[in-house]
Structures are given as C-alpha cells and as structure tokens.
Amino acid sequence: TEENTLSLHDALPICKPDADFVRWVEVFGGSLQMHATPLSVGTVFQRQVSGGARAWILTSATLSVRGNFEHYTSQLGLEEARTASWESPFDYPHQALLYVPDRMPEPNSRGYTEAVVEAVLPAIEAAGGRTFCLFTSLRAMREAHALIESGLRSRGLDFPVLLQGDGSRTALLARFRELGNAVLVGSQSFWEGVDVRGPTLSLVMIDRVPFAPPDDPVLTARIERINAAGGNAFMDYQLPHAVILLKQGAGRLIRDENDRGVLMICDPRLISKPYGRRVWQSLPPMRRTRVLAEVTAFLASLDDNGKAVFSRML
C-alpha cells in the first residue's frame, strides 16, 4: 500500500547486509514481503551504459544541490560524467516569495502539525484558498486535514478542502482546477508530476524538510556503509537526498512565466541548523521573508499585479 511505501515502520532488517545487498522483510496486515535491495545501483547501471550506446544524456530540473550533481552521479557510478546546469527562464525574485514562518517548534516536537496548521491558515485566507498543503507523512497529512477544515470553519471561510486518497490524483487535480479556491492536502503523490498553472494555485506549503524516515532498513544500511568508509552519511547522502525531494515539492508552485505565488516551508531548521543555508540556497532564487504581513501583501498583489515590499530577509 502507499502508506507502507512511504513509511517503513513495520520493516525489520533480518540479517546483516553483505557487500552489495541489504535483506529485509516488510510486514503487512495478513502477509509479508521479503526484499533484497542493492546498496548501490552503480555497478548495474554501468553495465547498461557500456552496452554499446555512444552517448547518454540525462536531464532533470531538480537533481542538483546548489548546481552540483555529485550526489546523483556518484550513485550511478558516473564519476567521469560531464555535467552542466542552466538557470531557469522564470523570474523567481519577482514571481515568487519563500516564507519560513517565525517561532515554529522543532519538527519532532509534540504538536508540530498543529503549529504548522496554525501558521498556514492566515496564508490560506490571504491566498483565497488556492493552496497545496504538502506533508512528509500520511499521518501528518490526515491530522492536518481535520485541523485545516475546522480552522477554516472557525474563521468563517468556506474554501473546499480536498484530501489525497479521496479520489484518484487525476480526479482531485481536475476538481482543484474546477473549484478555483480549493485547498488540497496531500503527501508524496502530489510532490512531483503535478502541473497546476495560473492563479488556481498561489500558495504551496511544505511542512518540513523531507528527510527519509530513520527506521528505513535500506537507509540504515547505506548510512552504515558510508560512515564505515570514512564518509559523512548525513552530509553526503541524507541531506542531498532531502534537498532534491524538497526541490521537487517546491517545483509545484511556479510552472510558467506568468505564475506567481508563495512557497511556505514551516521547518525552522532552514534557519536554526548550519545545514539550513545549503537547503534554501538549493531552491530557486525567490525573495525570502519570515514576516506574515509581507506574505499577505504579496498574495494581495496577485490580483492587481502590484509589488510587495520586503523588509526582513532570511
């Protein structure tokens, strides 16, 4: 199921990995699956590359970290690959605003999802609905959905609230576009491969930096292997992977030259942790603020094409 794919709380390592694989079992309600996952696909991919093709061209909008593709190429065994990165044609400093709300609790603290919803509700109101609320777990998504519905009612707002799982992704996106003032609460299904252009989507909220769950047995084995080889698994693997996923989620906001909107990331670690700068510097070059009034001014400007004033930057 999708929930088991997103979170491996019931996945248990059943033996130590050999040099190339980690073996583990995933437990479901009435069954289990046994897996043998390679710790690196570089050797397998190298066999494909050397299979007679004269050239391989790999393209992506999100696979670099501050313009560096090393995280991706090293996983594929492409240490000698030629890489290049070009700037986006979008005018991000004028089209978008990055908002990291002030005074947010740590993501692992009790009540974090409630704090996220409390922070996003005034932004949803200022946006007139027209919002994606993206969460890194299904549990947080479901909790937030109920809180958002009750929070909007308490504010006297009747924006429709759509929930991932209440229909197919295609049907939910069609409904979102048709309504024009909806709030869509989702998780991994809406982080990539989703294209909503125009004023129908003016605010994308992401609850936290999407680090992989620590109980993932494959992640655990890869961390042990990197650290045993003298590397730093967090900086060399976990952080770049999270940055790439965050960029994919952030990419839902600006889809063409005429789009404008706010990207809201509630995770205070973008500011409080030393690695936070590396995270937000990997995002498109949006104007940055921590002030709600500047967010509401920017969203208000979407209707009259005015310009917001930014007084406090990250």
Side-chain angles (χ1 to χ4, degrees):
T1 65
E2 183 180 14
E3 182 160 8
N4 281 288
T5 300
L6 289 170
S7 177
L8 298 174
H9 291 293
D10 295 321
L12 305 173
I14 60 176
C15 67
K16 292 183 179 180
D18 60 23
D20 299 310
F21 288 86
V22 55
R23 294 176 171 82
W24 52 283
V25 60
E26 190 172 9
V27 181
F28 298 90
S31 64
L32 59 84
Q33 292 181 356
M34 300 182 69
H35 303 262
T37 304
L39 292 177
S40 172
V41 299
T43 302
V44 177
F45 188 73
Q46 279 293 326
R47 289 200 296 266
Q48 299 298 320
V49 172
S50 61
R54 296 181 63 185
W56 287 66
I57 301 175
L58 310 177
T59 64
S60 172
T62 57
L63 287 181
S64 67
V65 178
R66 290 196 299 184
N68 189 320
F69 291 90
E70 182 178 354
H71 172 71
Y72 182 70
T73 56
S74 63
Q75 291 186 78
L76 292 183
L78 300 177
E79 286 78 8
E80 298 181 2
R82 295 173 57 189
T83 64
S85 180
W86 291 270
E87 295 298 323
S88 169
F90 303 150
D91 186 2
Y92 281 107
H94 292 94
Q95 289 183 246
L97 176 67
L98 171 61
Y99 172 44
V100 180
D102 207 355
R103 295 187 293 275
M104 288 294 296
E106 288 298 309
N108 292 328
S109 63
R110 177 175 294 183
Y112 181 72
T113 299
E114 291 95 325
V116 168
V117 172
E118 182 179 352
V120 77
L121 282 172
I124 292 174
E125 182 174 2
R130 304 186 297 177
T131 300
F132 274 8
C133 291
L134 303 179
F135 292 85
T136 53
S137 74
L138 293 175
R139 180 181 300 176
M141 178 196 77
R142 295 186 184 112
E143 180 184 0
H145 173 253
L147 293 170
I148 289 171
E149 283 194 319
S150 62
L152 291 176
R153 284 197 302 269
S154 69
R155 290 171 172 262
L157 301 171
D158 60 354
F159 302 139
V161 182
L162 310 178
L163 176 64
Q164 174 183 316
D166 285 350
S168 69
R169 186 171 75 166
T170 300
L172 286 173
L173 287 173
R175 182 68 173 151
F176 183 86
R177 295 186 184 100
E178 176 187 350
L179 289 166
N181 66 340
V183 178
L184 192 152
V185 184
S187 185
Q188 186 172 358
S189 291
F190 290 89
W191 275 66
E192 56 185 49
V194 173
D195 189 11
V196 179
R197 304 189 183 200
T200 303
L201 179 59
S202 297
L203 171 66
V204 171
M205 189 284 297
I206 296 175
D207 68 333
R208 65 178 77 195
V209 178
F211 289 107
D215 56 354
D216 182 337
V218 179
L219 173 64
T220 300
R222 285 176 175 158
I223 288 174
E224 291 175 352
R225 187 182 214 190
I226 293 170
N227 290 338
N232 182 324
F234 179 78
M235 296 301 293
D236 298 341
Y237 183 80
Q238 292 170 272
L239 182 60
H241 184 68
V243 167
I244 289 169
L245 289 178
L246 185 64
K247 289 172 65 177
Q248 290 172 341
R252 300 315 98 211
L253 182 64
I254 302 299
R255 306 300 298 170
D256 64 29
E257 291 85 350
N258 297 314
D259 275 353
R260 298 180 71 200
V262 172
L263 172 64
M264 178 178 179
I265 303 177
C266 293
D267 196 329
R269 294 174 295 185
L270 267 70
I271 310 300
S272 63
K273 299 297 184 182
Y275 62 77
R277 178 179 293 270
R278 184 178 177 186
V279 176
W280 60 257
Q281 285 185 340
S282 297
L283 296 172
M286 306 174 184
R287 300 293 298 269
R288 303 182 301 274
T289 186
R290 307 199 71 188
V291 180
L292 177 60
E294 294 177 353
V295 174
T296 57
F298 184 89
L299 290 169
S301 78
L302 302 187
D303 294 329
D304 57 16
N305 202 31
K307 292 185 178 180
V309 177
F310 304 93
S311 61
R312 184 180 174 196
M313 311 304 290
L314 294 183

